[in-house]
Amino acid sequence: MTLFVGTPDPLLSLQLFTTGKQQNELLHQLSQKEKVVLGGDVRADSPGHSAKFGSYTTMDLDTNTIVDMQLIQSNEVGGSYHMEKEGLKRSLALLDARGVTVDCIVTDRHPQIQKFLRENNVTHYYDVWHIAKACLHESRQTRDKKKWLSAETPAFCRLEKVMANKRILKDVAKLSPHHQTSSLEAFHSVILRFAPKNVVFPFLGMLYR
């Protein structure tokens, strides 16, 4: 987390100093590990693509420990769509500077993230839920063959079209085999209690929360 010098709030200064000290200790511990598996995700301050702030969080998925948070303002990067990539970029730069070896990172399927990690030769996996959420119906089992999909029916053709989609097939091959980002998303849901999306905060207010 970036520390801001000269912030007018003494309590915030103390909190940032304490957080920075804890983060330094954690980064030192991670630098001693041979490989680190990260999870990454952004939390916007409002729904949709008109967010002013985005906080990008990286988590050590072996211990479910928050490694870093970067608060991005949309006008820094030319729009809210670019905040996620910038947040990840800053976090990885910090980890690299502190000697942390990232084995792989698990995120959603954001196109800019895919391209950035591919160009930087970072092994990238997708969280399983971001593909599985297309099948949110309850699991059903039956021995009645009449209830199975029949070939060439409209329902079967629609299912075949989805499952044979080239992008889906390519993305399934990159699903994370072990680690997921559910703990990270749970952490973001906790932040909602302190920074709800229907309330507007200034930059320092968001940073504090």
Side-chain angles (χ1 to χ4, degrees):
M1 177 180 290
T2 305
L3 298 181
F4 289 84
V5 179
T7 175
D9 189 334
L11 182 58
L12 178 57
S13 298
L14 177 61
Q15 183 188 44
L16 291 176
F17 174 78
T18 304
T19 302
K21 185 177 180 181
Q22 293 171 338
Q23 185 185 34
N24 284 335
E25 294 174 355
L26 175 60
L27 290 175
H28 176 70
Q29 293 172 10
L30 292 177
S31 69
Q32 306 304 305
K33 296 177 65 173
E34 186 175 345
K35 295 179 180 179
V36 175
V37 179
L38 289 180
D41 194 23
V42 70
R43 192 195 78 88
D45 67 328
S46 62
H49 295 285
S50 59
K52 183 177 182 180
F53 300 111
S55 54
Y56 196 88
T57 308
T58 48
M59 172 183 276
D60 174 13
L61 294 182
D62 285 325
T63 61
N64 287 342
T65 304
I66 300 300
V67 175
D68 185 46
M69 292 183 70
Q70 295 287 338
L71 182 60
I72 314 297
Q73 192 162 321
S74 62
N75 60 11
E76 293 181 70
V77 292
S80 58
Y81 181 75
H82 304 285
M83 294 191 297
E84 186 166 356
K85 175 187 171 182
E86 182 63 23
L88 175 60
K89 183 178 178 180
R90 293 181 187 182
S91 283
L92 290 182
L94 172 66
L95 295 175
D96 183 62
R98 298 299 299 272
V100 177
T101 303
V102 177
D103 179 50
C104 64
I105 184 166
V106 183
T107 73
D108 58 18
R109 298 187 293 156
H110 192 290
Q112 286 190 345
I113 297 296
Q114 296 179 39
K115 185 174 184 291
F116 172 73
L117 293 175
R118 182 173 62 252
E119 291 176 347
N120 287 273
N121 297 315
V122 178
T123 302
H124 185 200
Y125 291 116
Y126 303 143
D127 178 82
V128 170
W129 181 82
H130 287 87
I131 287 185
K133 67 181 179 180
C135 303
L136 293 179
H137 59 78
E138 63 183 34
S139 179
R140 299 175 181 175
Q141 295 182 356
T142 179
R143 294 173 183 250
D144 186 354
K145 294 185 178 180
K146 294 181 180 179
K147 294 185 179 180
W148 286 83
L149 288 177
S150 299
E152 299 183 0
T153 61
F156 181 89
C157 291
R158 285 196 295 269
L159 177 63
E160 183 181 41
K161 185 177 180 180
V162 171
M163 299 305 295
N165 180 278
K166 290 184 178 180
R167 183 185 176 192
I168 289 292
L169 293 176
K170 183 179 178 181
D171 289 352
V172 165
K174 295 188 67 176
L175 292 179
S176 175
H178 303 297
H179 299 85
Q180 310 303 327
T181 61
S182 54
S183 296
L184 180 51
E185 289 163 4
F187 171 72
H188 280 172
S189 69
V190 172
I191 294 182
L192 279 174
R193 296 177 178 269
F194 304 95
K197 294 191 176 185
N198 60 347
V199 180
V200 178
F201 298 100
F203 186 89
L204 283 180
M206 287 296 296
L207 184 65
Y208 207 155
R209 285 160 177 81

